């Protein structure tokens, strides 16, 4: 019965399988060990459609004005979804600190969103999980996407019943 | 388990999606028939895999065939009809909105897709009522029950297909941006056919289950039909409530 209900709920969300793929690139910032930069690279198809709308002067770049517009109108939409980024400190899920220094760019025909997260805890105590609970977007995390400035990291898949997520841990941090 | 399955089909889609976009872009510089066909072929596979994910009317088709004594041929016909509606709605919506309301595409896309989903939900409920009616009158005239009209089939296919699939729309839109209109239209059709086949499988699965249950269920045929019809109606209701 549980399976049937699960099947029903999933089948009825007609629009909810991944239609956008987001590569997540986490980078530990050297100057501040507790600042992590996340860069999302959207897939090329979604990017081309968004760029058509967001690069208003069509110069192939996102200028300050366009950046502000994207941050206010588009990036802000991810607030209720915690930016698909969940932070755990000592095993406890905490609210993600408000992203700072939002920057949208176009790289290789792909729209990228980058933002910094400042953390009030030791790196060794935290880990992140990524995923869209509605499964409209698929977030992809791979070893080669991570730049932890020499710190060892570990990526594992997380089975969340309704969606698939990734977990990013930092190992051997002093 | 379920999420492992999702992960698998998501990774395939991730790769197929990348393949299609990079090849379509390459073809801007140089077009050859073989690369043209490769993109269309990959779009077909993309459709097969894409429809295996949640949604796309698989539940509706499965419920429909629970309440209907049908053969496998009918399930394929249903898949074929759904692909036709899927492709048409995606092409009409995309080209229509793109050329009429070029600018605020995204905003309008959301609005229109809400309306389309409500139409679809009401249609599904009507199909449910129609099936209930058929089951009821079918009981009175048992001998007539075999000759089902194709009206309800068309209704099911239309309800499942009228909501444009964002996956297909994305391909169409991407090819418009690149100026590859023909390739976009053909890819959308190929992808829809792929999706239709996967959706047919939901119907076949449901028929196979029915056949297996066979004689036991035969005596409860009426209850089963009513149950299937109610499920179809309930599905429409849930979808409608989700939109309001």
């Amino acid at each position: 019965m549980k399976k049937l209900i699960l099947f029903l709920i999933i089948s009825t969300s007609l629009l909810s399988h991944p239609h956008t793929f987001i590569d997540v690139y986490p980078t530990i910032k050297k100057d501040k060990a507790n600042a992590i930069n996340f860069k999302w690279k959207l897939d090329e198809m979604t990017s081309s459609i968004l760029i058509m709308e967001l690069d208003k002067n069509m110069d192939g770049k996102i200028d300050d004005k366009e950046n502000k517009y994207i941050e206010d109108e588009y990036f802000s939409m991810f607030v209720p979804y915690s930016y698909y980024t969940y932070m755990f400190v000592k095993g406890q899920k905490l609210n993600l600190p408000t992203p700072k220094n939002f920057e949208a760019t176009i790289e290789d025909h792909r729209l990228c969103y980058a933002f910094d997260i400042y953390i009030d805890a030791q790196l060794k105590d935290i880990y992140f999980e990524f995923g869209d609970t509605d499964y409209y977007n698929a977030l992809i995390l791979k070893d080669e996407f991570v730049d932890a400035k020499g710190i060892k990291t570990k990526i594992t898949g997380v089975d969340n019943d309704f969606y698939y997520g990734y977990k990013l841990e930092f190992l051997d941090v002093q | 388990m379920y999420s492992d399955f999702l992960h698998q089909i998501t990774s395939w889609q991730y790769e197929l999606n990348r393949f299609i976009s990079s090849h379509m872009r390459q073809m801007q510089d140089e077009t050859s028939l073989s690369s043209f066909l490769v993109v269309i072929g990959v779009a077909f596979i993309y459709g097969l895999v894409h429809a295996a994910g949640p949604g796309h009317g698989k539940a509706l088709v499965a419920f429909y065939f629970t309440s209907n004594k049908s053969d496998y041929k009918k399930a394929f016909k249903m898949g074929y009809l759904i692909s036709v509606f899927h492709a048409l709605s995606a092409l009409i919506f995309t080209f229509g909105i793109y050329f009429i309301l070029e600018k605020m595409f995204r905003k309008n896309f959301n609005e229109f897709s809400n309306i389309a989903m409500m139409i679809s939900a009401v249609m599904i409920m009507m199909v449910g009522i129609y099936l209930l009616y058929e089951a009821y009158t079918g009981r009175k005239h048992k001998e007539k029950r075999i000759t089902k009209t194709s009206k309800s089939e068309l209704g099911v296919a239309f309800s499942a297909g009228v909501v444009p699939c964002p996956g297909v729309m994305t391909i169409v839109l991407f090819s418009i941006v690149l100026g590859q209109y023909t390739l976009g239209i053909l890819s959308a059709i190929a992808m829809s056919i792929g999706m239709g086949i996967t959706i047919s499988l939901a119907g076949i699965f449901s028929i196979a289950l029915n056949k297996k249950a066979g004689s036991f269920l035969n005596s409860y045929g009426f209850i089963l039909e009513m149950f299937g019809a109610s499920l179809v109606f309930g599905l429409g209701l849930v979808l409608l409530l989700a939109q309001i």
Side-chain angles (χ1 to χ4, degrees), chain B residues 34-240:
Chain B
S34 61
S35 54
F36 200 84
L37 292 176
V38 166
V39 169
I40 292 169
V42 174
F44 170 74
I45 299 170
Y46 189 42
L48 277 179
V49 179
H50 187 66
H56 296 298
K58 286 191 304 297
L60 173 65
V61 173
F63 291 157
Y64 176 77
F65 284 111
T66 308
S67 67
N68 252 304
K69 286 203 188 63
S70 307
D71 51 22
Y72 297 124
K73 238 166 89 187
K74 273 214 172 138
F76 271 116
K77 190 179 158 205
M78 176 73 79
Y80 161 76
L81 283 174
I82 290 176
S83 355
V84 171
F85 283 123
H86 239 3
L88 279 178
S89 74
L91 289 171
I92 291 169
F93 271 78
T94 319
F95 278 100
I97 299 171
Y98 183 77
F99 288 113
I100 299 167
L101 306 153
E102 205 168 342
K103 273 286 154 185
M104 302 136 74
F105 179 85
R106 279 253 141 185
K107 217 174 256 167
N108 281 295
F109 166 58
N110 287 339
E111 237 164 67
F112 279 100
S113 95
N114 279 350
I115 294 169
M117 282 180 70
M118 275 162 89
I119 295 172
S120 162
V122 171
M123 282 291 299
I124 291 171
M125 285 165 69
M126 279 160 63
V127 170
I129 292 170
Y130 181 74
L131 289 173
L132 280 170
Y133 166 79
E134 273 210 335
Y136 181 71
T137 51
R139 194 188 196 190
K140 281 187 184 157
H141 316 280
K142 252 194 168 160
E143 67 281 6
K144 276 190 190 163
R145 208 196 287 181
I146 297 110
T147 53
K148 290 269 175 194
T149 56
S150 58
K151 231 186 290 170
S152 60
E153 262 167 53
L154 215 59
V156 169
F158 181 77
S159 334
V162 69
V163 179
C165 164
V168 183
M169 289 183 76
T170 308
I171 284 203
V172 178
L173 208 54
F174 181 63
S175 54
I176 293 178
V177 174
L178 296 181
Q180 300 265 18
Y181 297 94
T182 322
L183 184 61
I185 293 169
L186 291 178
S187 304
I189 294 171
M191 187 172 169
S192 300
I193 294 173
M195 288 172 63
I197 290 176
T198 303
I199 296 165
S200 302
L201 290 178
I204 286 170
F205 188 63
S206 168
I207 294 170
L209 271 181
N210 265 355
K211 286 216 164 123
K212 219 174 174 186
S215 56
F216 166 75
L217 286 175
N218 244 350
S219 43
Y220 295 98
F222 172 67
I223 296 169
L224 195 65
E225 279 187 20
M226 292 297 260
F227 180 63
S230 311
L231 281 179
V232 170
F233 180 79
L235 180 65
L237 192 65
V238 171
L239 286 173
L240 183 66

Side-chain angles (χ1 to χ4, degrees), chain A residues 8 10-12 14-15 17 19 21 23 43-45 48-49 52-53 109 135 138 140 159 161-162 164 166, chain B residues 1-3 6-7 10 14 17 20 25 50 54-56 59 63 98 106 117 166-167 173-174 177 235 239:
Chain A
L8 279 178
I10 292 161
S11 312
T12 45
L14 266 172
L15 287 171
H17 23 58
H19 287 109
F21 301 92
D23 287 339
D43 69 81
E44 210 180 320
M45 281 196 212
S48 74
I49 296 163
M52 183 176 73
E53 187 185 335
H109 309 294
Y135 221 62
I140 314 282
D159 184 329
D161 281 344
F162 290 104
Y164 193 86
Y166 289 96
Chain B
M1 232 285 274
Y2 182 76
S3 104
L6 270 188
H7 178 56
T10 303
Y14 177 68
N17 183 291
I20 294 173
R25 192 177 292 280
H50 187 66
H56 296 298
F63 291 157
Y98 183 77
R106 279 253 141 185
M117 282 180 70
L173 208 54
F174 181 63
V177 174
L235 180 65
L239 286 173

